[in-house]
Amino acid sequence: MNLSTNQVEAVIPVTAVAITDLRSRSLFVVGQGCKLKIFDKDNGVLLATEPVFKKQAIHGIQCQQAPNQSHTRCLVWGGRSIAIFKLIPAIQGHGAGGVRLAHRIREYRWVDWISDASLLLYFTHGVHEEGSLQQEAVFLTSHNVLYSLCRKSDTEQTIPLSASSALLATGPSSILYSAHILAHDTGQVFVAAGTVFGEVLFWRHDLKNKCTHSGNPTEGELLYSFLGHEGSVFGVRISELPVGSYSPWVIASCSDDRTIRVWDISDALKNSFEQKPVVETVEKLDTGFGSHALQRLPRSTSCLASIMGHSSRIWGVRFLPSPGGICKLISVGEDATCQSWLMTDIQPPQGSTTYVLRALDSYDYHIGKNVWAITVKKEDGGSSSIFTGGADGRIVSYSIPQTRTPLSNLNAQQWTAEPSSIRSASSSPRSTAINGQQNRLRPGASQAKLAFDSMQGHWGIHRVLRSAIPTYPSGTFNGTASVTRRGPTDDQYGAEYLYVEEGDFTTKQGVSIKGSRSYVYRFQDATDSITAWFVKTDNSGEVDYLFHRVEFDKTLMQLAEDGAVQVQYIITAKGHHLCVADTYNAEYNFQYHDSRLKSWGVKYEVKGPKKVYVADATYTERSDKKNLGEDLLRRDEVEGTFKSKQTTASNVDSFKNYCWIEPNELICCTAQGLILRSVFGPVAGVKGVSATATYDATLNREISWDIVDKIPDLASYSVATSVSDHTVLFGAACGTIYRYQPSTQAIDSIQKLPRKVAGLFAQQILQQSQGGARFVATVASCLGDSSAYCFFFKVDDEDENSNQERIKLQLPPNFVITSACFTKHDNLLVLGSRNGALAFYDRSAFSDIASAIGCYCIRHVRGEDAVTVIEEVPRTEAEFTGIFLLTAGRDGKFAIHRVSVDRGQSDTQIELETVHSSLPPFGPNIEGAAFDNATNDLLLWGFRSTDFVVWNGSKQTETMKIACGGSHRSWAYSPSNDGQDGGKLVWTKASTCNVQIQPRASHRVLQPGGHGREIKAMAISSVRQDIGGRTGYLIATGAEDTTVRISLATGTNSGSSDAFKCLGVNSKHNTGLQQICWSPDGRHLFTAGGREELFIWRIQPVPCLGIGFTCQLQAPAITDSLELRVMDFDVAVVSRETDSTPTSEYLLSTAYSDSTVRIHHFSPTSPTPQLTLLATGKYTTSCLTQIQTLHLSAASFLLTAATDGYIALWPLKPTLSHAGITSNASFRSTSPPVKTPEAQIKWTTQRRIHQNSIKTLTLIPLSATDILIATGGDDGAIAFTRLTSSLDPSAPLVCATLLVPRAHASSVTGIQSLGSHTRPPTATQEGYTSFRLVSVSNDQRLKTWVLSIDLGKEGVEGLEVGKERDVYSEIADASCVEVLPGEGGADRGVVVAGIGVERWGWGGEGVGE
C-alpha cells in the first residue's frame, strides 16, 4: 500500500481575478495557485474549483461570453503556461445552478515568460491559411514578442485539441516587467509594455498580416516610447477604445518609483485606422547594458499627469468606468491597499490645459502586504464594482460610486444640517447643507458646489421684464419657485434639481396672466460645474437639451447694509446660450449673510430678430410657512418661562446630544433645550410623521427636523441615552430625568434626583416575575454623590405615575460610573468605573429599597483605564454555563470574563476570570460594542485618529469607516443588527450635524484568507475539540505580520472551502513569529519571535468568538539587544504529585540566535502562573536553529542543531537535580522548583550531519535505548541519525548517520514522521520496523519517504530509505510541515505552511504524480 495524497484546501495568495457573465448570471473568476475558482458574484457562493496548471500559479485571467450566451471562454495564463476553458452552465445537486469547466486548450507550455494575453473576439477574422488553424488568443512574452495561440477550427470537439502557436510580430527589443494587450474587432492589436528600464512602449500589429510558424517575423509598429518613470514599470493599462467619435485615449502606468502616470495616445487612435504613422523619426537610446543602443522614438512629453501614491511599490493600475471626458483610476500596491484617483484639468491664465491626478479614497481591506489582483466592472447607475485578491488569500468585493465625494459604501447615504437652521425657538428649522458639504463660504470652498447646494428649497420670486420691442410685453412676475433634488437622470452628474416656478405675470397695461416654467439644474462632481437644461413641455420633467453652463466669476465681501455685525458675501457667475438666432446672456449672483444664502438672482439679456429684453429675477427666502418654533414660544410665554421673542447672536443654537431609535428615527437635544426629531426612510404607521421628516433616498439627502418640545431644564447641559426602539432618556442639571417614547411622541418627567445628572445608562430587560414583560432598567449617577440610583419602568407605559420607586446603590470609594449592564443570567447589575474597576450588585436584593444596596468591587480589571463598555456575551446553555461579560475601554483593548457567583447567607461573592483579551486594529478608543442579533457576531466601534471605525471581531474585518474628525464631538451610532454589518452614525463636525446610514458592510469578503505575510511557524494540537458545533484540531500559525492565528481543521478530506476555520487572531507580538508549540493537553500555547519575545497563552473556548486568548506570562528579556531572536523552543511535561490530584507543569527549553540555551520551569497551577529560570548554556558562536528534549535509558538530554551543520547533546540530569526535578525516562517533581541561582548547562557530544545550517529536526523513538533523529538541511539533504545508549550509564552513546543527498533541490525546511508503516512481506525478523516521513522544501515539492530499520543491526547498517511520493506543493517558501492527527486514520493528513497554508490528506493506494 502506497501513500495516496490529495490536497484538501489551500489558503494561498490570490494572483488573478476577473468578472464575466454566463447567460443571466454574473460570475467572479479567481486564480489561486494552480486552480481556477468560480464564485457567484451576487451571493459569493463557490460554484466550482478546477486545476488549470500542473505546477504554475495563475497570473492572469480574461473572459469573454459567446454571442449566443451559451458559454463563456476563459483565457488563463501564468509563467510559461497558457490555457483556454469554456464555462458552461451545469446543474449541481439540490437543484442549484452550477458551472462546469470544459477544456478548450489544455495547458500549453511556452519557452518564455508570458507577460499578458488576450482573447480574440468571436467575430475577428484570424484564420490561418495553412492547416485550418483558428487563432483563439494572442500572448506577449517578456521579450516583447507577440504570438497567437491556435487550435483546429472545429470548435465543437468535445476532447480538447493540442494547441500550436504562431509568431505574429516583435516589438522593440526590451525586457518587460508588465504588459497589456488590447485587441480590436477590426484586427488591430495594441500593446502597451512596461520595461525594466522605466520605459512605456506602445506599439501595434494588424492581424490581417500573415502569421508565421517559422521564418522572419514582422516588426510591430512602434507608436510611442514614453520616458519619465525612475524605476521599473510594474503595471500598464490602456484605456478602452472610444466608440463613435474621436475621444481622448490614454495609457496609465505605475512603477517602482511609487508614481502613477497617465500618457496621451490620442493621436494613435485616429492614425491607426487611417494607416498613418504617428511619428517618423527615431533616436538611439542607451539602456546602460552593452555597447549597442536601442532605437526608440524621441522622448515623449505626452505625460498628462502624474502623482506619487501608496507607501510602497505599486503593482497595478486599472481605469474606472467614468463619463466621457473624465479619467478615474484605481491602483493596488505592496502596502495592501487600493487607492482611487481622479484626473482633472486646470485652465491656467495663459489658456493652455494641464492635468493633475488627485487622490479620492483608500481602501485597506487586505492585511499584511501585497494586493496582487484587481478587476473592475461597471454597474447600472455608473458605479464600479471592484474585486481584489491579495497575498493574504482574501477575496474582497466593494463598490465605488461615480460621484466625486467618496463614500465607504455605494449604498451609504449621507445628510447634513447646520445649526444655523436652529437660530432660536422663533425661527423655523431649515436644512442648509446636502451631501456631506457644508453650506458656508470658507477658504478654498468650491463656489459651484456652494451655490448649487444653497439653491435647494422654496423661494419667493420677483422678476422684472423690460422689453425693447412693443410686440413683446413688459411687466412683473411674482410667485414661488421650488428647487427640488431628485435622482440624477444622467450618470455623468452627481446631483440634479428640478426647478419649477409658478405665479402671476402682470403687464404694464394691468393684464394678469398665470405663468409657469421648468428647468433642470445639474452638478457634475468631476468638473465641479453647474449646467442648466430645458425640460420637455409635456410636464414629465424629462430633460430636453442644454440651456447653458454656469461659469463662476468672483466673490465679493462687504458688511451687511443693515449695520449688523455680519459679513455679506456675493458670488457672481455667467452663462451663455445661442438659440437659433436669439442670444441669451445670463448673470447670476448669490448673496450670503455669514453662512446663509439670503437671496439670489438671475438676469437674462436676450437679443434676437423678434425679441430684445432684460429679465431680472430675485429669489428670497419664503416666510409663509407655519413656524412651530413660534408656537412653542407663545406657549412658553404664557407659562412664564420665556420673556422675549427677539433673536440675537446669543440665541444661535447648536446640536448637543443624539440618540437613535430604530429603525431610522433620530432624536436630538440642542443647547437651548429643543428636542428635535427626524426620520430617515419611509416609516409606515408611525404617529405624527410629517412629510418633511420622511426621507426618500431617491429624491434628496436633506435633513428635516420636527420640533417635539422645548425643555428649559435641558438648556446648556444634558446627558442622553436610548434603549433599542422605544425610549430616549434625558438627564438635566437640575436632576430631572425626562423620557421620550415614539408611541406618544411626547416628553414627560419620570424621576427627580437630588443632584445634577452626571451619567445615564439604560437597558431593556425581561421581568419574569411579571410574566416576561419588557422593562427599561436605568442607572443614573449624580455629580458629587457617593450613590447611584436605579429604577425601572415598563416599555410603552404612558402612565407617568406607574414608575417604581428608585433604588439607592452605594458606590465604592472613588468610583465614577462610565458604563453599566444588567445581566440576563444570575440577575446581576454590573457597573464600570473611570479607573478600571467593576462593581457587582445582586439584583435579588433590590426588593429592599429602604437602605442603600452594597456591592462587590473588583479593582483594576482594565488597569487604570476607563471601562467604556460592559456587555453580556450571548451563550447557549449546552455549551457554556455561568455569565460571560465583555468589557472594553479607551486603552484600545477588549476582554471577555467568566463570572462565577457564590450567594452566601450573608453576602454574595464574585470571581472574575479573564478568558480572552485582544487588541483590535482600529484603536486606541473603543467606545461601544454589541452582539449582532442575527449572527451573534461581536461588533466593536470607536475612533482611529479622525475616523470612526466599526470592527467585526468575529469575522476579523472592518465593516465601516467614516471620516468624522475624531472622538471629541457629539455622536451616536446604532448597528443594524440584521447580520449585514450595517449601521447608522450621526455626528457633529464644524457645528454641522452629519448623518450616514450604511445598510451593509463597506465591503464583502468572499473568501476570508489568512496571514498577510510569510508563515514562519505552525503547531497542531493533539487534542480533538468541539467548538461552535464544529469538531476538529486547532492549528496555530505565526507569521512575519506579527500575528498568531488559531484555526480549526475540520474533519474532512473532501475538499472544503471551510477546511480552515479561523477562530481567533492575536497581535501582541511586536516582531515576526519564529516558533509556536502547543502543550500536550491543548490548554496552553507557547509563541516566540524576535527581541526575546516569548509568550505563554491560555487557550480556551469562549462564546461567540470561538477561542479565547489570555497571555499568562512573558519571559523576561535578559539582554538589551533588539536583534536577539528566539530561534526554537521545546515544551516537555513535568509531572508533579500533589496532595489532591496530579498536575502538569512544563519544562521550557529555548535556543537563541546568539548560540545560548535557557531552561525555564513553567507552573500554570500556582496561585499565579510562574516562570522560573533554571539553567543557561552556551554552544559556540553559531546560531542555534533547533532544540528538542529526548530520553534514552535513564538519561535525559537536550538536542540542539545549529547553522554549522552539527547536532549537540546536553545532559540534563545534573542541571535539573538542584531544582528538584528528576530526569530519567520522564520529568517529575514533588514540589515547586527551588529558586536558586541558575545553573550552567554544557554540551558533551557533537556530531556533524549537514554541510551547513540544519533547518528542521524531528525525533522517532525506536526503543527505550534507541532513537532516530531525522534532519533536513540547507544543503538539500535529509539525514537519519541513529542514537543508541547502553544500560550502563557510563558507556558512551553510539551515533551513526545515513545521509540522503539531493533529497530536494533546495533547502529542506520541514520533516515530520507520519507514524509506523506496514512491515514489508519479506521482513520476517521481529526487530524489523518501518516508518513513513514527509518533507517539504523551498523547491515547492512535498515528498514522502519510507524508512525501514532492522533493529538487530548496529548503526545505520539496517537502515533503508526509499522515496514514495513526490508532488507539487502550492506553498512557496515553505517553512514547516506538521502532521494532522485523525481518529482511525480517516482524517489524517499533513499541513504545509509558508506563503500560505495547505492541507493534504492521505489514505488508500497511491499512484505517482
Short mmCIF file of all heavy atoms in Angstrom, two decimals, residues 725-769:
data_model
loop_
_atom_site.label_atom_id
_atom_site.label_comp_id
_atom_site.label_asym_id
_atom_site.label_seq_id
_atom_site.Cartn_x
_atom_site.Cartn_y
_atom_site.Cartn_z
N ASP A 725 -35.67 50.34 20.47
CA ASP A 725 -36.58 51.02 19.55
C ASP A 725 -37.72 51.73 20.25
O ASP A 725 -38.73 52.01 19.64
CB ASP A 725 -37.16 50.01 18.57
CG ASP A 725 -37.90 48.89 19.28
OD1 ASP A 725 -37.79 48.81 20.51
OD2 ASP A 725 -38.58 48.11 18.59
N HIS A 726 -37.55 52.05 21.54
CA HIS A 726 -38.74 52.53 22.22
C HIS A 726 -38.55 53.67 23.21
O HIS A 726 -39.54 54.26 23.63
CB HIS A 726 -39.41 51.38 22.99
CG HIS A 726 -38.45 50.49 23.72
ND1 HIS A 726 -37.73 50.90 24.80
CD2 HIS A 726 -38.11 49.22 23.47
CE1 HIS A 726 -36.97 49.90 25.22
NE2 HIS A 726 -37.17 48.87 24.42
N THR A 727 -37.35 54.04 23.60
CA THR A 727 -37.23 55.03 24.67
C THR A 727 -35.96 55.84 24.50
O THR A 727 -34.91 55.30 24.16
CB THR A 727 -37.21 54.36 26.06
OG1 THR A 727 -38.39 53.56 26.21
CG2 THR A 727 -37.16 55.40 27.16
N VAL A 728 -36.08 57.15 24.78
CA VAL A 728 -34.92 58.03 24.94
C VAL A 728 -35.06 58.71 26.29
O VAL A 728 -36.14 59.19 26.64
CB VAL A 728 -34.84 59.08 23.82
CG1 VAL A 728 -33.66 60.01 24.05
CG2 VAL A 728 -34.70 58.40 22.47
N LEU A 729 -33.96 58.73 27.05
CA LEU A 729 -33.95 59.38 28.35
C LEU A 729 -32.99 60.55 28.32
O LEU A 729 -31.89 60.46 27.75
CB LEU A 729 -33.53 58.40 29.45
CG LEU A 729 -34.42 57.17 29.65
CD1 LEU A 729 -33.85 56.27 30.73
CD2 LEU A 729 -35.84 57.58 29.99
N PHE A 730 -33.38 61.66 28.96
CA PHE A 730 -32.55 62.84 29.07
C PHE A 730 -32.37 63.17 30.55
O PHE A 730 -33.33 63.12 31.33
CB PHE A 730 -33.19 64.05 28.37
CG PHE A 730 -33.37 63.88 26.90
CD1 PHE A 730 -34.59 63.46 26.38
CD2 PHE A 730 -32.32 64.14 26.02
CE1 PHE A 730 -34.76 63.31 25.02
CE2 PHE A 730 -32.49 63.99 24.66
CZ PHE A 730 -33.71 63.57 24.15
N GLY A 731 -31.15 63.51 30.92
CA GLY A 731 -30.87 63.95 32.29
C GLY A 731 -30.47 65.41 32.31
O GLY A 731 -29.70 65.87 31.46
N ALA A 732 -30.99 66.15 33.27
CA ALA A 732 -30.81 67.60 33.32
C ALA A 732 -29.91 67.99 34.48
O ALA A 732 -29.65 67.20 35.41
CB ALA A 732 -32.16 68.30 33.44
N ALA A 733 -29.45 69.23 34.45
CA ALA A 733 -28.60 69.73 35.52
C ALA A 733 -29.35 69.85 36.84
O ALA A 733 -28.76 69.78 37.92
CB ALA A 733 -28.02 71.09 35.12
N CYS A 734 -30.66 70.02 36.77
CA CYS A 734 -31.45 70.12 37.99
C CYS A 734 -31.78 68.77 38.60
O CYS A 734 -32.44 68.70 39.64
CB CYS A 734 -32.75 70.88 37.69
SG CYS A 734 -33.83 70.04 36.51
N GLY A 735 -31.37 67.67 37.97
CA GLY A 735 -31.62 66.33 38.49
C GLY A 735 -32.83 65.65 37.92
O GLY A 735 -33.09 64.49 38.24
N THR A 736 -33.58 66.32 37.08
CA THR A 736 -34.79 65.73 36.49
C THR A 736 -34.41 64.84 35.31
O THR A 736 -33.54 65.18 34.51
CB THR A 736 -35.76 66.81 36.02
OG1 THR A 736 -36.06 67.67 37.13
CG2 THR A 736 -37.04 66.19 35.49
N ILE A 737 -35.07 63.69 35.22
CA ILE A 737 -34.88 62.78 34.09
C ILE A 737 -36.16 62.78 33.28
O ILE A 737 -37.25 62.55 33.80
CB ILE A 737 -34.53 61.36 34.57
CG1 ILE A 737 -33.18 61.37 35.30
CG2 ILE A 737 -34.50 60.38 33.40
CD1 ILE A 737 -32.77 60.02 35.85
N TYR A 738 -36.03 63.09 31.98
CA TYR A 738 -37.15 63.14 31.06
C TYR A 738 -37.13 61.92 30.15
O TYR A 738 -36.07 61.35 29.85
CB TYR A 738 -37.10 64.42 30.22
CG TYR A 738 -37.28 65.68 31.02
CD1 TYR A 738 -36.17 66.33 31.57
CD2 TYR A 738 -38.54 66.23 31.24
CE1 TYR A 738 -36.33 67.51 32.30
CE2 TYR A 738 -38.71 67.39 31.97
CZ TYR A 738 -37.60 68.02 32.50
OH TYR A 738 -37.77 69.18 33.21
N ARG A 739 -38.31 61.56 29.69
CA ARG A 739 -38.47 60.38 28.82
C ARG A 739 -39.21 60.77 27.55
O ARG A 739 -40.19 61.51 27.58
CB ARG A 739 -39.23 59.28 29.56
CG ARG A 739 -39.56 58.07 28.70
CD ARG A 739 -40.32 57.02 29.49
NE ARG A 739 -41.62 57.51 29.94
CZ ARG A 739 -42.51 56.80 30.63
NH1 ARG A 739 -42.22 55.56 30.98
NH2 ARG A 739 -43.65 57.34 31.00
N TYR A 740 -38.71 60.27 26.43
CA TYR A 740 -39.41 60.39 25.14
C TYR A 740 -39.72 58.99 24.64
O TYR A 740 -38.85 58.11 24.62
CB TYR A 740 -38.55 61.12 24.11
CG TYR A 740 -39.11 61.01 22.69
CD1 TYR A 740 -40.12 61.86 22.27
CD2 TYR A 740 -38.63 60.05 21.80
CE1 TYR A 740 -40.64 61.76 20.99
CE2 TYR A 740 -39.14 59.95 20.52
CZ TYR A 740 -40.15 60.80 20.11
OH TYR A 740 -40.67 60.69 18.86
N GLN A 741 -40.99 58.76 24.24
CA GLN A 741 -41.41 57.48 23.68
C GLN A 741 -42.06 57.70 22.32
O GLN A 741 -42.92 58.59 22.18
CB GLN A 741 -42.39 56.78 24.62
CG GLN A 741 -41.73 56.28 25.91
CD GLN A 741 -42.70 55.50 26.78
OE1 GLN A 741 -43.75 56.02 27.15
NE2 GLN A 741 -42.35 54.27 27.08
N PRO A 742 -41.69 56.93 21.29
CA PRO A 742 -42.26 57.11 19.96
C PRO A 742 -43.77 56.91 19.93
O PRO A 742 -44.46 57.49 19.09
CB PRO A 742 -41.54 56.06 19.11
CG PRO A 742 -40.29 55.75 19.86
CD PRO A 742 -40.64 55.90 21.30
N SER A 743 -44.27 56.07 20.82
CA SER A 743 -45.70 55.79 20.79
C SER A 743 -46.52 57.04 21.09
O SER A 743 -47.63 57.20 20.59
CB SER A 743 -46.04 54.69 21.79
OG SER A 743 -45.64 55.07 23.10
N THR A 744 -46.00 57.93 21.93
CA THR A 744 -46.72 59.16 22.26
C THR A 744 -46.10 60.39 21.60
O THR A 744 -46.77 61.41 21.49
CB THR A 744 -46.70 59.36 23.78
OG1 THR A 744 -45.34 59.48 24.23
CG2 THR A 744 -47.34 58.17 24.48
N GLN A 745 -44.85 60.28 21.20
CA GLN A 745 -44.09 61.41 20.65
C GLN A 745 -44.21 62.63 21.56
O GLN A 745 -44.45 63.76 21.10
CB GLN A 745 -44.57 61.74 19.23
CG GLN A 745 -44.20 60.67 18.23
CD GLN A 745 -44.34 61.14 16.80
OE1 GLN A 745 -44.45 62.32 16.54
NE2 GLN A 745 -44.33 60.19 15.88
N ALA A 746 -44.04 62.37 22.85
CA ALA A 746 -44.14 63.44 23.83
C ALA A 746 -43.04 63.25 24.87
O ALA A 746 -42.49 62.16 25.02
CB ALA A 746 -45.52 63.43 24.51
N ILE A 747 -42.73 64.32 25.58
CA ILE A 747 -41.72 64.32 26.63
C ILE A 747 -42.42 64.38 27.97
O ILE A 747 -43.31 65.21 28.19
CB ILE A 747 -40.77 65.52 26.48
CG1 ILE A 747 -40.09 65.51 25.13
CG2 ILE A 747 -39.73 65.54 27.59
CD1 ILE A 747 -39.08 64.43 24.94
N ASP A 748 -42.03 63.47 28.90
CA ASP A 748 -42.57 63.54 30.26
C ASP A 748 -41.44 63.34 31.26
O ASP A 748 -40.40 62.78 30.95
CB ASP A 748 -43.66 62.50 30.48
CG ASP A 748 -43.16 61.08 30.29
OD1 ASP A 748 -42.19 60.90 29.53
OD2 ASP A 748 -43.73 60.16 30.88
N SER A 749 -41.65 63.84 32.45
CA SER A 749 -40.68 63.73 33.54
C SER A 749 -40.97 62.47 34.33
O SER A 749 -42.13 62.23 34.73
CB SER A 749 -40.76 64.96 34.43
OG SER A 749 -39.97 64.79 35.58
N ILE A 750 -39.93 61.65 34.57
CA ILE A 750 -40.17 60.37 35.26
C ILE A 750 -39.41 60.24 36.58
O ILE A 750 -39.78 59.43 37.41
CB ILE A 750 -39.81 59.17 34.36
CG1 ILE A 750 -38.33 59.24 33.95
CG2 ILE A 750 -40.70 59.12 33.13
CD1 ILE A 750 -37.87 58.01 33.20
N GLN A 751 -38.34 61.01 36.80
CA GLN A 751 -37.60 60.94 38.05
C GLN A 751 -37.02 62.30 38.38
O GLN A 751 -36.74 63.11 37.50
CB GLN A 751 -36.45 59.91 37.96
CG GLN A 751 -36.89 58.46 37.98
CD GLN A 751 -37.36 58.01 39.36
OE1 GLN A 751 -36.98 58.61 40.38
NE2 GLN A 751 -38.18 56.98 39.39
N LYS A 752 -36.83 62.51 39.68
CA LYS A 752 -36.18 63.73 40.17
C LYS A 752 -35.07 63.31 41.13
O LYS A 752 -35.33 62.80 42.23
CB LYS A 752 -37.19 64.63 40.88
CG LYS A 752 -36.57 65.88 41.49
CD LYS A 752 -36.01 66.83 40.45
CE LYS A 752 -35.49 68.10 41.09
NZ LYS A 752 -34.87 69.03 40.13
N LEU A 753 -33.81 63.47 40.69
CA LEU A 753 -32.66 63.08 41.50
C LEU A 753 -32.17 64.28 42.30
O LEU A 753 -32.44 65.44 41.96
CB LEU A 753 -31.55 62.54 40.61
CG LEU A 753 -31.91 61.32 39.75
CD1 LEU A 753 -30.70 60.82 39.00
CD2 LEU A 753 -32.52 60.21 40.58
N PRO A 754 -31.42 64.03 43.38
CA PRO A 754 -31.05 65.14 44.28
C PRO A 754 -30.02 66.09 43.69
O PRO A 754 -29.90 67.22 44.15
CB PRO A 754 -30.49 64.42 45.52
CG PRO A 754 -30.05 63.09 45.02
CD PRO A 754 -31.01 62.72 43.92
N ARG A 755 -29.25 65.64 42.68
CA ARG A 755 -28.20 66.50 42.16
C ARG A 755 -28.17 66.43 40.63
O ARG A 755 -28.97 65.72 40.01
CB ARG A 755 -26.84 66.10 42.73
CG ARG A 755 -26.71 66.26 44.23
CD ARG A 755 -25.28 66.01 44.68
NE ARG A 755 -25.11 66.16 46.13
CZ ARG A 755 -23.95 66.12 46.74
NH1 ARG A 755 -22.84 65.96 46.04
NH2 ARG A 755 -23.88 66.26 48.06
N LYS A 756 -27.22 67.12 40.07
CA LYS A 756 -27.02 67.14 38.63
C LYS A 756 -26.74 65.73 38.11
O LYS A 756 -25.90 65.03 38.66
CB LYS A 756 -25.86 68.07 38.30
CG LYS A 756 -25.52 68.19 36.84
CD LYS A 756 -24.34 69.15 36.64
CE LYS A 756 -23.98 69.31 35.18
NZ LYS A 756 -22.85 70.28 35.01
N VAL A 757 -27.46 65.36 37.06
CA VAL A 757 -27.29 64.03 36.50
C VAL A 757 -25.97 63.99 35.74
O VAL A 757 -25.77 64.72 34.75
CB VAL A 757 -28.45 63.66 35.56
CG1 VAL A 757 -28.24 62.28 34.97
CG2 VAL A 757 -29.78 63.74 36.30
N ALA A 758 -25.03 63.12 36.18
CA ALA A 758 -23.72 63.02 35.55
C ALA A 758 -23.65 61.88 34.55
O ALA A 758 -22.95 61.97 33.55
CB ALA A 758 -22.64 62.84 36.62
N GLY A 759 -24.35 60.80 34.83
CA GLY A 759 -24.34 59.65 33.94
C GLY A 759 -25.70 59.01 33.87
O GLY A 759 -26.45 58.99 34.86
N LEU A 760 -26.04 58.47 32.69
CA LEU A 760 -27.36 57.88 32.49
C LEU A 760 -27.18 56.65 31.61
O LEU A 760 -26.66 56.74 30.49
CB LEU A 760 -28.28 58.90 31.82
CG LEU A 760 -29.79 58.65 31.87
CD1 LEU A 760 -30.28 58.52 33.31
CD2 LEU A 760 -30.53 59.79 31.18
N PHE A 761 -27.60 55.49 32.13
CA PHE A 761 -27.42 54.22 31.43
C PHE A 761 -28.71 53.43 31.51
O PHE A 761 -29.29 53.28 32.60
CB PHE A 761 -26.28 53.41 32.06
CG PHE A 761 -25.02 54.22 32.27
CD1 PHE A 761 -24.80 54.86 33.49
CD2 PHE A 761 -24.10 54.37 31.26
CE1 PHE A 761 -23.66 55.62 33.69
CE2 PHE A 761 -22.95 55.13 31.45
CZ PHE A 761 -22.74 55.76 32.67
N ALA A 762 -29.18 52.95 30.36
CA ALA A 762 -30.47 52.26 30.31
C ALA A 762 -30.35 51.01 29.45
O ALA A 762 -29.56 50.95 28.51
CB ALA A 762 -31.56 53.17 29.78
N GLN A 763 -31.18 50.01 29.78
CA GLN A 763 -31.15 48.74 29.06
C GLN A 763 -32.52 48.08 29.18
O GLN A 763 -33.18 48.18 30.21
CB GLN A 763 -30.06 47.84 29.65
CG GLN A 763 -29.95 46.46 29.03
CD GLN A 763 -28.87 45.64 29.73
OE1 GLN A 763 -27.92 46.17 30.29
NE2 GLN A 763 -29.05 44.33 29.72
N GLN A 764 -32.93 47.42 28.12
CA GLN A 764 -34.20 46.68 28.16
C GLN A 764 -33.97 45.31 28.81
O GLN A 764 -33.01 44.61 28.49
CB GLN A 764 -34.76 46.48 26.76
CG GLN A 764 -36.04 45.66 26.73
CD GLN A 764 -36.55 45.44 25.33
OE1 GLN A 764 -36.85 46.39 24.63
NE2 GLN A 764 -36.64 44.19 24.90
N ILE A 765 -34.85 44.94 29.73
CA ILE A 765 -34.78 43.64 30.37
C ILE A 765 -36.17 43.01 30.38
O ILE A 765 -37.18 43.69 30.14
CB ILE A 765 -34.25 43.73 31.83
CG1 ILE A 765 -35.22 44.56 32.69
CG2 ILE A 765 -32.85 44.32 31.86
CD1 ILE A 765 -34.86 44.56 34.17
N LEU A 766 -36.21 41.71 30.63
CA LEU A 766 -37.46 40.99 30.77
C LEU A 766 -37.65 40.63 32.23
O LEU A 766 -36.77 40.03 32.85
CB LEU A 766 -37.45 39.72 29.92
CG LEU A 766 -37.30 39.91 28.40
CD1 LEU A 766 -37.29 38.56 27.70
CD2 LEU A 766 -38.42 40.78 27.87
N GLN A 767 -38.78 41.00 32.80
CA GLN A 767 -39.10 40.69 34.18
C GLN A 767 -39.93 39.42 34.22
O GLN A 767 -41.13 39.43 33.91
CB GLN A 767 -39.86 41.85 34.84
CG GLN A 767 -39.02 43.09 35.07
CD GLN A 767 -38.12 42.95 36.28
OE1 GLN A 767 -37.68 41.84 36.62
NE2 GLN A 767 -37.83 44.06 36.95
N GLN A 768 -39.28 38.30 34.56
CA GLN A 768 -40.01 37.03 34.60
C GLN A 768 -41.06 37.02 35.69
O GLN A 768 -42.07 36.33 35.58
CB GLN A 768 -39.00 35.88 34.82
CG GLN A 768 -37.93 35.78 33.74
CD GLN A 768 -38.50 35.53 32.36
OE1 GLN A 768 -39.59 34.95 32.23
NE2 GLN A 768 -37.79 35.97 31.32
N SER A 769 -40.83 37.82 36.73
CA SER A 769 -41.80 37.86 37.81
C SER A 769 -43.11 38.52 37.39
O SER A 769 -44.12 38.38 38.07
CB SER A 769 -41.21 38.60 39.02
OG SER A 769 -40.89 39.93 38.65
#
